[in-house]
């Protein structure tokens, strides 16, 4: 939990600094050229090194009535 909080607090400062330096020295296309390989590496590492910490205990039931009420509520909020 502490590492997750550290990432959430530090990432906005580092991300804005790195992207600002990239835009100042290179073009905006380099942000995507740098991000795509990092994203692919992160996805590969997460597939092998992250473990499932939540084991399903029982199959959850799906309530059609509740889903209809939720859909109507969302539509009502969008309409207003």
């Amino acid at each position: 939990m502490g590492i997750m909080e550290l990432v959430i607090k530090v990432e906005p400062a580092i991300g804005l600094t790195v992207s600002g330096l990239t835009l100042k020295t290179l073009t905006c296309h380099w942000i995507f050229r740098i991000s795509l390989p990092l994203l692919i590496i992160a996805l590969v590492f997460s597939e092998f090194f992250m473990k499932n910490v939540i084991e399903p205990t029982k199959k959850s039931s799906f309530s059609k009535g509740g889903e209809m009420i939720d859909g109507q509520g969302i539509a009502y909020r969008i309409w207003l």
Side-chain angles (χ1 to χ4, degrees):
M1 191 74 133
I3 293 175
M4 300 272 293
E5 186 175 340
L6 180 67
V7 169
I8 291 170
K9 288 184 178 184
V10 172
E11 185 275 329
I14 291 175
L16 291 174
T17 304
V18 170
S19 64
L21 289 172
T22 303
L23 287 175
K24 190 170 186 173
T25 58
L26 303 169
T27 62
C28 63
H29 301 288
W30 277 95
I31 290 178
F32 300 105
R33 291 179 185 153
I34 292 170
S35 298
L36 188 61
L38 292 176
L39 174 67
I40 292 171
I41 291 169
L43 287 173
V44 169
F45 275 110
S46 67
E47 184 67 32
F48 291 112
F49 294 110
M50 290 183 71
K51 62 180 180 177
N52 186 10
V53 294
I54 301 173
E55 296 294 329
T57 55
K58 67 174 185 170
K59 187 174 180 177
S60 62
S61 63
F62 181 76
S63 170
K64 290 184 182 179
E67 188 67 27
M68 288 174 48
I69 292 172
D70 285 344
Q72 290 172 354
I74 291 170
Y76 179 72
R77 291 296 296 166
I78 291 173
W79 183 263
L80 291 179

